[in-house]
Amino acid sequence: MSLLRIAVVGAGSLSTRRIYPYLGTAGARLVGVCDIDLAKAQENAARWGGTPYEDMETMLDKEQPDAVIICIGPEAHARLAPAVLRRGIPVYTEKPPSVTAAEALAVARVAKETGVLCTTAFKKRYSVAYARAKEFIAEFPPEQLYSLSIDYAGAQYDHSSPRKLLLLDFGIHMIDLSGYLFGDAAEVFAFSKGLDAFAISVRYACGAVGSLHFNCGRSFAIPTEEVEITARGGNWMSIHNSACWRIAREGQCVEWREPPTFTSAGDSGNDTGHLAELVDFVQAVREGRSTRSCIAESYKSMVLCEAIGESAKTSRVVPIEYEAV
């Protein structure tokens, strides 16, 4: 099977660490690198192949790629993705998919209108631990799911731009994960300390409840990522740092995973999900299917994110309403 021909828009630090190195392993060949800083595009093209460009449209005209990856910040994801989709080319954007839920919805509608895949790089959906959590949750009918608890913290944000907002840049990972695990949210209430810390209560449409805690007063070098999932009858799963887990059934421990890795700085790409999400995207393009992190799902995560922000500002419970894609 020939390698999928991929062009990448963006040659910054995130894509250079988490996208370009995995393309070959994911089954793709880099044919074009675009960045408004041509020197960065030239550097990444020299390292991983492809032709450097400083204009996306020129790159698409010349390279005619099978798929495009966009990793240049949420302000531009929602602007560039529709242009690629309307060319009939599948798109993968970094998270978040946009700055607002309305922008994400607009992209989702273009994807539906064109019938072309648009996926968002919400890596938690592809982590080995959370894939196992999804399987564990599926063992129980919705009425037996009790609660989801998440404690997630990192280093200080300065909140000077959308990509430097704790809730949108950092918390969005676990906001999206909560929807992946427990489904659509019905309503939310949040307390906050400015933009630096959030204590959030969620009621899900399935009837379960959630407690999400985010802050930026800790460290990225020593990560805080603790998740607890509880179902009726002494059944629960504890997940630490996207990699370690313990599963109990009827009050007895039946499964334990403790890998000898520390994933804050990186791993094989499967514990963190960086490689696994690219593999799924490449395979989805080949097979003409969607992904577990398609733009329609990302739109729902943006709706919940905005509702959290609104609740924190107004000190009231905010009902969650999703528009049809």
Side-chain angles (χ1 to χ4, degrees):
M1 183 181 296
S2 60
L3 297 175
L4 198 75
R5 302 176 70 257
I6 281 187
V8 180
V9 180
S13 60
L14 176 62
S15 61
T16 298
R17 289 183 293 110
R18 294 288 187 253
I19 292 177
Y20 290 96
Y22 289 137
L23 288 175
T25 305
R29 178 167 67 88
L30 185 62
V31 297
V33 180
C34 178
D35 198 285
I36 56 174
D37 184 340
L38 185 59
K40 289 183 178 180
Q42 291 170 331
E43 181 178 351
N44 278 14
R47 293 176 68 184
W48 287 290
T51 302
Y53 296 90
E54 53 186 343
D55 176 73
M56 183 185 80
E57 297 291 348
T58 301
M59 178 177 70
L60 299 183
D61 287 340
K62 291 189 176 181
E63 301 300 336
Q64 298 291 306
D66 299 316
V68 171
I69 291 173
I70 301 174
C71 182
I72 54 176
E75 305 93 333
H77 291 163
R79 176 172 55 84
L80 297 184
V84 179
L85 292 170
R86 289 193 172 101
R87 285 175 173 255
I89 304 173
V91 180
Y92 163 119
T93 74
E94 245 314 320
K95 64 81 198 165
S98 57
V99 174
T100 68
E103 291 174 342
L105 177 61
V107 177
R109 286 175 172 168
V110 172
K112 182 177 181 179
E113 169 195 332
T114 59
V116 180
L117 171 65
C118 180
T119 194
T120 309
F122 276 122
K123 63 184 181 181
K124 302 298 183 185
R125 291 181 178 235
Y126 292 93
S127 159
V128 172
Y130 298 124
R132 182 67 186 94
K134 185 74 169 176
E135 295 172 349
F136 174 72
I137 290 168
E139 297 176 17
F140 306 95
E143 62 271 17
Q144 290 187 11
L145 293 176
Y146 278 179
S147 66
L148 171 66
S149 171
I150 296 175
D151 184 17
Y152 192 51
Q156 191 64 51
Y157 274 69
D158 65 20
H159 314 301
S160 60
S161 71
R163 71 178 70 188
K164 294 181 180 180
L165 290 173
L166 171 69
L167 200 60
L168 183 61
D169 183 69
F170 185 72
I172 192 68
H173 276 299
M174 290 312 205
I175 292 170
D176 179 75
L177 179 68
S178 75
Y180 176 60
L181 295 179
F182 271 45
D184 292 351
E187 58 184 355
V188 63
F189 180 81
F191 288 109
S192 71
K193 182 174 177 57
L195 299 174
D196 295 315
F198 293 81
I200 304 154
S201 294
V202 184
R203 183 173 65 82
Y204 296 95
C206 69
V209 295
S211 175
L212 317 180
H213 166 248
F214 309 136
N215 76 64
C216 58
R218 301 184 191 172
S219 168
F220 290 129
I222 306 173
T224 298
E225 185 170 331
E226 308 296 334
V227 176
E228 298 280 349
I229 299 161
T230 306
R232 179 184 175 89
N235 298 291
W236 74 92
M237 181 174 183
S238 302
I239 303 163
H240 168 67
N241 193 30
S242 283
C244 309
W245 69 75
R246 180 186 64 197
I247 293 177
R249 288 194 175 86
E250 298 180 359
Q252 300 295 317
C253 186
V254 296
E255 185 174 321
W256 189 294
R257 183 191 194 237
E258 190 87 25
T261 60
F262 194 59
T263 62
S264 64
D267 71 318
S268 66
N270 291 316
D271 277 306
T272 55
H274 289 105
L275 171 59
E277 65 188 358
L278 283 169
V279 169
D280 188 42
F281 176 64
V282 168
Q283 292 177 345
V285 172
R286 291 190 186 282
E287 298 166 9
R289 59 169 173 82
S290 188
T291 67
R292 71 182 70 166
S293 189
C294 68
I295 186 63
E297 288 296 305
S298 303
Y299 156 66
K300 291 182 178 181
S301 299
M302 292 296 295
V303 170
L304 179 53
C305 183
E306 288 188 351
I308 291 169
E310 180 183 349
S311 179
K313 289 178 181 178
T314 62
S315 298
R316 66 180 181 85
V317 173
V318 176
I320 307 297
E321 298 179 356
Y322 304 107
E323 293 190 42
V325 172

